[in-house]
Amino acid sequence: MNLNGKKVLLVGLAKTGISTIKHLNKLGANIIVNDIKEKEKLEDILNELKDLDNIEYILGYHPENIDDIELVVVSPGVPLDLPFILKIKEKNIELIGEVELAYRLSTNNPVFIGITGTNGKTTTTSLVGEIFKANSNDTYIVGNIGNPVIDTVEVTTKDSVLVTELSSFQLESIDTFKPRVSAILNFTEDHLNRHHTMENYIQAKSRIFMNQDEEDFAILNYDDENVRALEDKVKAKKIFFSRTTELKEGIFLDKNNNIVIRLDKEIVLLNKDELSLPGNHNLENCMAAAMIAYVLKVDIEVIRKVLKTFKAVEHRQEYVKTLNGVTFVNDSKATNPDSSIKAVQSYKDPIILIAGGMDKKSTFDEFLEVAKENVKALVLLGETANLIKECAIKKGFKEIYLVKDMEEAVNTSYKIAKENDVVLLSPACASWDMYKSYEVRGNDFKDNVNKLK
């Protein structure tokens, strides 16, 4: 892909935007950088780019004249139904995202693994990455997990493995991206403020396997009806995983709680109780990860060892500390109700739940119906605090606290907690109403927990 001298428009400055600009600059492209934010709000990012030449900045508004643009690279946070983006499409200017650009520029043909789904992406991606590292593969854990794919372009070889977490936003802007193995973990209501309908959301996620053929693999969740319904659209070799059904072919949980791989032969991988990660959702993540590694010929003993020893991902049901018998858990990565359902179901002790955040037009009825089984109190903050409170009252919750920030949330939770209670931050919402990211939110929670006496 020759971009030397080509006029490239990058829309949306963020972490992937910075990496993309730097790489396009190395390739000799004439870059126009556009962001709807004003210059004053982008100072930190612009400082990282100040030493680069041949860059024009259009900030605070979208450019009017795009006739001479030869390629548009759009950041994941930019909706593709914006009038400006639709104008680009109408003019038949090629529009791709950072993942697609990196894939085209990866001329050494590394092995791409693509992992998507509503929940469990980060855990599964991290788990797969650790398995391949333990197998002594040259491994890169990239994508939505926070590491731009394009940063790997100059260092990978044909023997490298890129374990790529992919959001629906990233998958909307692929074109030729073709993973050797794709995986769809599940579908639950999420990002409807962007996709508007579940059908659109599922369609975006399903793009992960659109370029695969019979030489590739697609790992699919048999227990999720919406995932299973995609079966006829998959051209790759389909392999299902299930924790509820014994499969003729695939990976499943048998009646003795053994995880069994049944393909060319039958292998008992290990017992469910040997997994290091708790909960049925993590059982599914582990089965998906094991099958991804297995079809790519990773040694079975390596897979077993990692599944037994893998530690939870930061901000995903992350143990913080125990103080006077009260356990604090950071699950800031739970940015939708279904993810928080899985979190509250993982604990038997009474829970004081800190929830709330940016409104993504999700509904909270099912989440609170499940939560009332063992959540003794709700501590709510952010845009959705009152919305969750109204729904919680209808579900019969009596102990509900509205707080202004994380410090008050942690202090209130600790004040009402008893010995053996779990204070769980599992917001069921995005963080962007109060924080730059779920990581910043999780770190704020941990900082305030560690300040407690």
Side-chain angles (χ1 to χ4, degrees):
M1 188 179 188
N2 183 10
L3 293 174
N4 187 38
K6 297 280 183 72
K7 199 160 190 178
V8 180
L9 172 66
L10 181 129
V11 184
L13 270 172
K15 187 170 184 178
T16 57
I18 294 170
S19 292
T20 302
I21 291 165
K22 289 180 178 179
H23 203 82
L24 288 171
N25 187 258
K26 285 183 182 179
L27 296 174
N30 295 321
I31 309 165
I32 300 173
V33 175
N34 175 231
D35 197 292
I36 200 67
K37 293 177 183 174
E38 301 285 348
K39 180 180 178 180
E40 293 72 25
K41 295 182 179 180
L42 297 166
E43 289 294 347
D44 291 344
I45 293 175
L46 295 175
N47 282 336
E48 291 193 48
L49 302 169
K50 63 183 179 181
D51 296 329
L52 302 183
D53 299 322
N54 296 325
I55 300 180
E56 177 186 350
Y57 292 94
I58 300 175
L59 305 175
Y61 61 95
H62 294 305
E64 293 182 9
N65 183 12
I66 56 172
D67 291 340
D68 57 347
I69 298 297
E70 296 173 83
L71 176 69
V72 176
V73 181
V74 62
S75 293
V78 179
L80 299 189
D81 58 358
L82 287 178
F84 175 63
I85 299 299
L86 295 177
K87 180 182 175 183
I88 290 169
K89 291 179 177 180
E90 287 170 6
K91 290 183 174 289
N92 291 320
I93 301 170
E94 186 172 26
L95 184 147
I96 61 174
E98 174 262 339
V99 171
E100 174 69 21
L101 179 65
Y103 179 76
R104 294 187 189 184
L105 293 173
S106 298
T107 54
N108 288 324
N109 297 317
V111 176
F112 274 88
I113 297 168
I115 298 168
T116 196
T118 307
N119 298 310
K121 295 188 300 298
T122 299
T123 297
T124 305
T125 300
S126 301
L127 188 51
V128 172
E130 289 306 309
I131 291 171
F132 278 93
K133 286 179 182 179
N135 200 52
S136 299
N137 293 90
D138 181 39
T139 306
Y140 301 86
I141 302 172
V142 293
N144 192 56
I145 202 165
N147 305 315
V149 187
I150 203 160
D151 286 346
T152 69
V153 166
E154 295 179 340
V155 295
T156 53
T157 70
K158 65 179 179 60
D159 298 317
S160 301
V161 177
L162 274 72
V163 188
T164 314
E165 178 185 334
L166 294 165
S167 69
S168 57
F169 299 169
Q170 290 169 312
L171 287 165
E172 281 185 310
S173 57
I174 64 167
D175 181 32
T176 64
F177 177 75
K178 181 178 182 287
R180 181 78 173 88
V181 183
S182 68
I184 300 183
L185 305 177
N186 47 60
F187 292 130
T188 58
E189 191 179 84
D190 199 14
H191 297 302
L192 297 190
N193 57 331
R194 165 104 167 224
H195 296 293
H196 309 301
T197 68
M198 273 298 289
E199 290 76 15
N200 291 341
Y201 176 59
I202 290 171
Q203 185 177 7
K205 291 279 192 186
S206 303
R207 290 170 61 83
I208 193 169
F209 57 67
M210 70 180 185
N211 295 313
Q212 288 188 293
D213 57 38
E214 60 275 4
E215 299 298 318
D216 303 314
F217 297 91
I219 313 301
L220 305 171
N221 187 347
Y222 186 86
D223 301 334
D224 188 303
E225 291 183 5
N226 286 320
V227 176
R228 195 165 73 242
L230 299 172
E231 180 178 8
D232 293 339
K233 298 180 181 179
V234 180
K235 297 175 184 175
K237 180 174 175 55
K238 296 177 285 291
I239 301 176
F240 286 105
F241 63 91
S242 175
R243 62 178 178 83
T244 63
T245 303
E246 181 175 332
L247 302 172
K248 291 181 179 179
E249 183 177 81
I251 182 168
F252 60 90
L253 193 69
D254 72 8
K255 61 184 179 182
N256 297 315
N257 279 341
N258 290 320
I259 299 172
V260 177
I261 294 175
R262 182 181 285 167
L263 283 179
D264 48 331
K265 56 185 176 180
E266 186 166 307
I267 300 170
V268 176
L269 185 59
L270 75 173
N271 191 274
K272 173 188 174 182
D273 294 338
E274 295 180 85
L275 297 174
S276 64
L277 297 175
N280 284 330
H281 61 297
N282 278 321
L283 169 59
E284 294 178 357
N285 296 336
C286 289
M287 288 194 291
M291 188 51 72
I292 290 169
Y294 184 76
V295 298
L296 290 176
K297 311 300 183 187
V298 173
D299 184 271
I300 199 73
E301 289 301 328
V302 172
I303 299 173
R304 282 194 183 106
K305 182 177 179 181
V306 175
L307 292 181
K308 290 179 180 181
T309 59
F310 182 78
K311 302 299 182 186
V313 177
E314 188 179 14
H315 309 296
R316 198 70 185 99
Q317 289 181 248
E318 174 194 8
Y319 171 78
V320 180
K321 72 186 297 183
T322 299
L323 188 62
N324 292 329
V326 179
T327 299
F328 292 84
V329 178
N330 167 31
D331 194 42
S332 183
K333 184 72 170 63
T335 59
N336 61 70
D338 190 68
S339 189
S340 291
I341 286 173
K342 291 176 170 60
V344 299
Q345 288 177 327
S346 298
Y347 302 94
K348 295 178 181 178
D349 293 324
I351 294 171
I352 296 167
L353 180 64
I354 301 174
M358 193 192 87
D359 189 356
K360 293 198 288 183
K361 306 304 178 187
S362 298
T363 56
F364 300 99
D365 295 83
E366 184 184 1
F367 164 49
L368 293 168
E369 185 67 31
V370 173
K372 70 182 185 182
E373 293 297 320
N374 62 333
V375 172
K376 60 183 274 188
L378 290 168
V379 179
L380 306 174
L381 71 168
E383 277 181 7
T384 57
N386 282 303
L387 186 64
I388 297 173
K389 178 184 177 181
E390 289 174 12
C391 189
I393 291 171
K394 292 176 184 177
K395 296 293 180 182
F397 281 87
K398 303 295 185 186
E399 204 168 348
I400 305 171
Y401 303 84
L402 298 184
V403 297
K404 66 179 185 297
D405 55 27
M406 191 63 74
E407 181 180 12
E408 187 180 356
V410 169
N411 289 335
T412 299
S413 299
Y414 186 48
K415 183 178 180 180
I416 63 177
K418 307 294 184 184
E419 187 176 358
N420 296 321
D421 284 355
V422 176
V423 174
L424 172 66
L425 170 68
S426 192
C429 302
S431 59
W432 302 316
D433 57 333
M434 297 176 67
Y435 299 94
K436 288 183 178 180
S437 66
Y438 72 82
E439 292 99 334
V440 176
R441 176 172 63 188
N443 288 332
D444 191 21
F445 173 75
K446 291 192 286 185
D447 288 345
N448 280 288
V449 169
N450 288 320
K451 290 176 185 175
L452 293 172
K453 303 295 184 184

PDB file of all heavy atoms in Angstrom, residues 288-299:
ATOM      1  N   ALA A 288     -13.574 -20.488  24.776  1.00  0.00           N
ATOM      2  CA  ALA A 288     -13.280 -19.809  23.509  1.00  0.00           C
ATOM      3  C   ALA A 288     -11.782 -19.659  23.309  1.00  0.00           C
ATOM      4  O   ALA A 288     -11.243 -19.944  22.226  1.00  0.00           O
ATOM      5  CB  ALA A 288     -13.963 -18.442  23.481  1.00  0.00           C
ATOM      6  N   ALA A 289     -11.085 -19.232  24.368  1.00  0.00           N
ATOM      7  CA  ALA A 289      -9.634 -19.047  24.276  1.00  0.00           C
ATOM      8  C   ALA A 289      -8.922 -20.365  23.994  1.00  0.00           C
ATOM      9  O   ALA A 289      -8.003 -20.432  23.162  1.00  0.00           O
ATOM     10  CB  ALA A 289      -9.107 -18.429  25.570  1.00  0.00           C
ATOM     11  N   ALA A 290      -9.343 -21.418  24.677  1.00  0.00           N
ATOM     12  CA  ALA A 290      -8.720 -22.730  24.480  1.00  0.00           C
ATOM     13  C   ALA A 290      -8.888 -23.212  23.041  1.00  0.00           C
ATOM     14  O   ALA A 290      -7.948 -23.746  22.430  1.00  0.00           O
ATOM     15  CB  ALA A 290      -9.321 -23.742  25.449  1.00  0.00           C
ATOM     16  N   MET A 291     -10.078 -23.010  22.486  1.00  0.00           N
ATOM     17  CA  MET A 291     -10.318 -23.479  21.123  1.00  0.00           C
ATOM     18  C   MET A 291      -9.545 -22.662  20.099  1.00  0.00           C
ATOM     19  O   MET A 291      -9.040 -23.198  19.097  1.00  0.00           O
ATOM     20  CB  MET A 291     -11.818 -23.460  20.819  1.00  0.00           C
ATOM     21  CG  MET A 291     -12.174 -24.108  19.487  1.00  0.00           C
ATOM     22  SD  MET A 291     -11.464 -25.764  19.255  1.00  0.00           S
ATOM     23  CE  MET A 291     -12.441 -26.732  20.392  1.00  0.00           C
ATOM     24  N   ILE A 292      -9.442 -21.353  20.311  1.00  0.00           N
ATOM     25  CA  ILE A 292      -8.633 -20.513  19.418  1.00  0.00           C
ATOM     26  C   ILE A 292      -7.199 -21.043  19.372  1.00  0.00           C
ATOM     27  O   ILE A 292      -6.603 -21.194  18.303  1.00  0.00           O
ATOM     28  CB  ILE A 292      -8.646 -19.044  19.887  1.00  0.00           C
ATOM     29  CG1 ILE A 292     -10.027 -18.429  19.665  1.00  0.00           C
ATOM     30  CG2 ILE A 292      -7.580 -18.227  19.154  1.00  0.00           C
ATOM     31  CD1 ILE A 292     -10.223 -17.074  20.337  1.00  0.00           C
ATOM     32  N   ALA A 293      -6.657 -21.309  20.554  1.00  0.00           N
ATOM     33  CA  ALA A 293      -5.278 -21.803  20.624  1.00  0.00           C
ATOM     34  C   ALA A 293      -5.159 -23.199  20.026  1.00  0.00           C
ATOM     35  O   ALA A 293      -4.183 -23.506  19.309  1.00  0.00           O
ATOM     36  CB  ALA A 293      -4.804 -21.800  22.068  1.00  0.00           C
ATOM     37  N   TYR A 294      -6.137 -24.042  20.286  1.00  0.00           N
ATOM     38  CA  TYR A 294      -6.068 -25.440  19.825  1.00  0.00           C
ATOM     39  C   TYR A 294      -6.057 -25.532  18.304  1.00  0.00           C
ATOM     40  O   TYR A 294      -5.274 -26.299  17.729  1.00  0.00           O
ATOM     41  CB  TYR A 294      -7.236 -26.227  20.403  1.00  0.00           C
ATOM     42  CG  TYR A 294      -7.200 -27.697  20.064  1.00  0.00           C
ATOM     43  CD1 TYR A 294      -6.319 -28.567  20.717  1.00  0.00           C
ATOM     44  CD2 TYR A 294      -8.041 -28.224  19.086  1.00  0.00           C
ATOM     45  CE1 TYR A 294      -6.283 -29.919  20.405  1.00  0.00           C
ATOM     46  CE2 TYR A 294      -8.018 -29.580  18.774  1.00  0.00           C
ATOM     47  CZ  TYR A 294      -7.133 -30.422  19.427  1.00  0.00           C
ATOM     48  OH  TYR A 294      -7.087 -31.767  19.114  1.00  0.00           O
ATOM     49  N   VAL A 295      -6.913 -24.769  17.621  1.00  0.00           N
ATOM     50  CA  VAL A 295      -6.957 -24.863  16.153  1.00  0.00           C
ATOM     51  C   VAL A 295      -5.690 -24.300  15.519  1.00  0.00           C
ATOM     52  O   VAL A 295      -5.377 -24.623  14.372  1.00  0.00           O
ATOM     53  CB  VAL A 295      -8.209 -24.160  15.569  1.00  0.00           C
ATOM     54  CG1 VAL A 295      -9.477 -24.816  16.069  1.00  0.00           C
ATOM     55  CG2 VAL A 295      -8.207 -22.657  15.836  1.00  0.00           C
ATOM     56  N   LEU A 296      -4.952 -23.498  16.281  1.00  0.00           N
ATOM     57  CA  LEU A 296      -3.682 -22.982  15.775  1.00  0.00           C
ATOM     58  C   LEU A 296      -2.486 -23.775  16.306  1.00  0.00           C
ATOM     59  O   LEU A 296      -1.358 -23.298  16.323  1.00  0.00           O
ATOM     60  CB  LEU A 296      -3.544 -21.493  16.116  1.00  0.00           C
ATOM     61  CG  LEU A 296      -4.497 -20.570  15.337  1.00  0.00           C
ATOM     62  CD1 LEU A 296      -4.358 -19.133  15.802  1.00  0.00           C
ATOM     63  CD2 LEU A 296      -4.263 -20.665  13.835  1.00  0.00           C
ATOM     64  N   LYS A 297      -2.778 -25.007  16.750  1.00  0.00           N
ATOM     65  CA  LYS A 297      -1.756 -26.010  17.065  1.00  0.00           C
ATOM     66  C   LYS A 297      -0.907 -25.679  18.285  1.00  0.00           C
ATOM     67  O   LYS A 297       0.249 -26.124  18.385  1.00  0.00           O
ATOM     68  CB  LYS A 297      -0.822 -26.239  15.857  1.00  0.00           C
ATOM     69  CG  LYS A 297      -1.538 -26.475  14.531  1.00  0.00           C
ATOM     70  CD  LYS A 297      -2.426 -27.696  14.568  1.00  0.00           C
ATOM     71  CE  LYS A 297      -3.069 -27.967  13.208  1.00  0.00           C
ATOM     72  NZ  LYS A 297      -4.072 -29.068  13.252  1.00  0.00           N
ATOM     73  N   VAL A 298      -1.453 -24.940  19.242  1.00  0.00           N
ATOM     74  CA  VAL A 298      -0.725 -24.712  20.490  1.00  0.00           C
ATOM     75  C   VAL A 298      -0.739 -25.998  21.304  1.00  0.00           C
ATOM     76  O   VAL A 298      -1.744 -26.716  21.353  1.00  0.00           O
ATOM     77  CB  VAL A 298      -1.368 -23.560  21.299  1.00  0.00           C
ATOM     78  CG1 VAL A 298      -0.715 -23.429  22.675  1.00  0.00           C
ATOM     79  CG2 VAL A 298      -1.245 -22.254  20.536  1.00  0.00           C
ATOM     80  N   ASP A 299       0.368 -26.299  21.957  1.00  0.00           N
ATOM     81  CA  ASP A 299       0.490 -27.506  22.769  1.00  0.00           C
ATOM     82  C   ASP A 299      -0.596 -27.535  23.851  1.00  0.00           C
ATOM     83  O   ASP A 299      -0.812 -26.554  24.567  1.00  0.00           O
ATOM     84  CB  ASP A 299       1.880 -27.548  23.413  1.00  0.00           C
ATOM     85  CG  ASP A 299       2.116 -28.829  24.193  1.00  0.00           C
ATOM     86  OD1 ASP A 299       1.783 -28.846  25.390  1.00  0.00           O
ATOM     87  OD2 ASP A 299       2.606 -29.800  23.602  1.00  0.00           O
TER      88      ASP A 299
END
